[in-house]
Amino acid sequence: MRMRRLRRSEPLRALVRETTLNPGDLIYPLFLCPGQGVRREIGSMPGVFNLSVDEAVREAEQAAALGVGGLLLFGLPESKDEQGVGAWDDNGIVQQGLRALKASSASKKLVLIADVCLCEYTSHGHCGIVKECDGGFDVENDATLELLARTAVSQAKAGADIVAPSDMMDGRVAAIRRGLDAAGCSLTPILSYASKFASAFYGPFREAADSAPQFGDRRTYQMDGANLREALREIELDLAEGADMILMKPAMPYLDVVRAARDLTGVPIGAYQVSGEYSMLQAAFERGWLDRDRATLESLLSMRRAGADFIVTYFAKAAARLLA
Ligand SMILES: [Zn+2]
């Protein structure tokens, strides 16, 4: 047997290629901020911007023209408070963005996904309500659930095609499903960040979304990076609570988790190529240490090969251009 027989030309290689990557597999995250004509580049994420709603619509139209599958929306509110009121404000930044995007031609081609969490809106930067206890603090699980459900309902009413809870509170999928159904949004799907690990690779995102915790860290709710079996239990629980699709985060350092999830369940699976994965590659590109085009596509292909149906990536537009 000579395995090299099938590698002799690009048409041959294309014929026997096992994994595909298409622009429609890619979800493009956008960070919405107040104002008009604002396009502020994020220092640690070259090519990624805080965008006012009008600029976000322009960005969405470009993404739609390139065949990108959808958008994942995050918000930087005008002001923050202890509870994160801006998250469920019907006139909040993401809700404004959703209405504008829904009214644009881009929405006919793009799935609009709204991130559901409180950390971008709370003054302390945690994903839930914070209570002092025993000289320290605790993020209150059950009190947070109602606020998450309220946020998801508000986003669905503003035009979100999918809501995506990223907070990692226990029971949030069930609470959001109940909230959506009670509000007449029974057809809005939930994409749960089922296994979200407490990762150093989120670093640049915190600059992008201005969401760094002001004290402590997120290890009491996000998962320990050492645990695969626990990730599968999280997935099973979210599915039992009514998640329609699941998202795995981060992607490249956790491809074994994506594969295990694929083997566990038939529901659609997404992988989130997080900010640190993007910034790390960008830094290498800038130094000329990696071939930009090939490394971009190879990083995304690895996630499809591991079993992800779609990928959330800051490279969405660039990769779609390469795939055209
Ligand atoms: Zn959060």
Side-chain angles (χ1 to χ4, degrees):
M1 187 62 214
R2 292 181 188 274
M3 296 300 281
R4 290 178 56 187
R5 280 181 199 128
L6 299 182
R7 297 175 196 151
R8 280 167 55 80
S9 70
E10 180 48 30
L12 252 178
R13 291 191 292 270
L15 184 70
V16 301
R17 193 157 287 143
E18 298 174 30
T19 309
T20 59
L21 183 64
N22 294 301
D25 305 331
L26 307 176
I27 304 290
Y28 189 36
L30 294 184
F31 298 97
L32 307 177
C33 69
Q36 264 231 313
V38 181
R39 196 177 168 80
R40 192 168 52 231
E41 192 166 32
I42 294 145
S44 53
M45 300 179 74
V48 179
F49 300 83
N50 288 162
L51 301 167
S52 53
V53 169
D54 54 325
E55 289 288 328
V57 169
R58 285 191 13 202
E59 196 76 11
E61 278 162 0
Q62 286 174 18
L66 288 163
V68 166
L71 304 176
L72 176 59
L73 303 179
F74 297 94
L76 290 87
E78 202 90 55
S79 64
K80 304 189 185 219
D81 55 53
E82 290 273 298
Q83 288 210 315
V85 171
W88 63 86
D89 180 353
D90 286 338
N91 208 28
I93 185 69
V94 165
Q95 288 81 352
Q96 288 179 36
L98 283 165
R99 281 193 291 270
L101 287 162
K102 262 294 172 219
S104 75
S105 59
S107 74
K108 290 179 184 61
K109 294 192 177 163
L110 295 169
V111 177
L112 302 182
I113 309 174
D115 179 82
V116 180
C117 199
L118 303 183
C119 55
E120 296 133 60
Y121 306 91
T122 51
S123 45
H124 44 71
H126 279 285
C127 303
I129 294 178
V130 169
K131 277 273 158 70
E132 278 180 43
C133 67
D134 305 332
F137 74 97
D138 186 36
V139 175
E140 282 210 315
N141 195 90
D142 296 5
T144 301
L145 299 183
E146 205 256 318
L147 304 183
L148 294 168
R150 224 188 275 182
T151 302
V153 168
S154 167
Q155 292 169 340
K157 297 217 156 173
D161 297 309
I162 297 176
V163 292
S166 61
D167 51 281
M168 291 303 280
M169 296 299 120
D170 289 321
R172 82 275 173 70
V173 174
I176 289 171
R177 184 72 273 158
R178 267 197 304 275
L180 288 170
D181 291 354
C185 304
S186 58
L187 292 180
T188 302
I190 298 174
L191 165 64
S192 80
Y193 290 63
S195 70
K196 178 176 179 179
F197 292 90
S199 171
F201 287 88
Y202 303 150
F205 177 94
R206 289 174 187 167
E207 184 192 347
D210 186 26
S211 63
Q214 300 303 303
F215 49 85
D217 57 37
R218 299 199 171 114
R219 287 178 221 214
T220 66
Y221 41 107
Q222 295 178 354
M223 286 185 50
D224 187 322
N227 295 356
L228 173 62
R229 294 193 304 263
E230 186 188 350
L232 300 181
R233 291 181 65 205
E234 281 282 6
I235 292 166
E236 284 173 334
L237 278 167
D238 279 11
L239 294 176
E241 288 178 28
D244 300 277
M245 323 155 83
I246 56 172
L247 190 59
M248 320 294 288
K249 184 180 182 179
M252 210 143 86
Y254 294 85
L255 289 178
D256 58 321
V257 186
V258 177
R259 166 49 54 192
R262 175 77 294 155
D263 293 342
L264 177 77
T265 171
V267 302
I269 294 178
Y272 195 143
Q273 183 179 48
V274 301
S275 59
E277 300 177 59
Y278 173 85
S279 300
M280 183 167 74
L281 287 167
Q282 284 288 4
F285 300 159
E286 280 175 11
R287 292 184 171 208
W289 287 354
L290 284 175
D291 180 306
R292 179 183 293 268
D293 296 355
R294 289 188 59 198
T296 298
L297 294 182
E298 191 175 334
S299 71
L300 297 170
L301 191 68
S302 75
M303 292 155 207
R304 291 271 298 133
R305 195 186 61 243
D309 297 298
F310 57 93
I311 302 161
V312 180
T313 175
Y314 303 98
F315 287 119
K317 272 171 59 186
R321 265 188 214 107
L322 293 171
L323 293 166

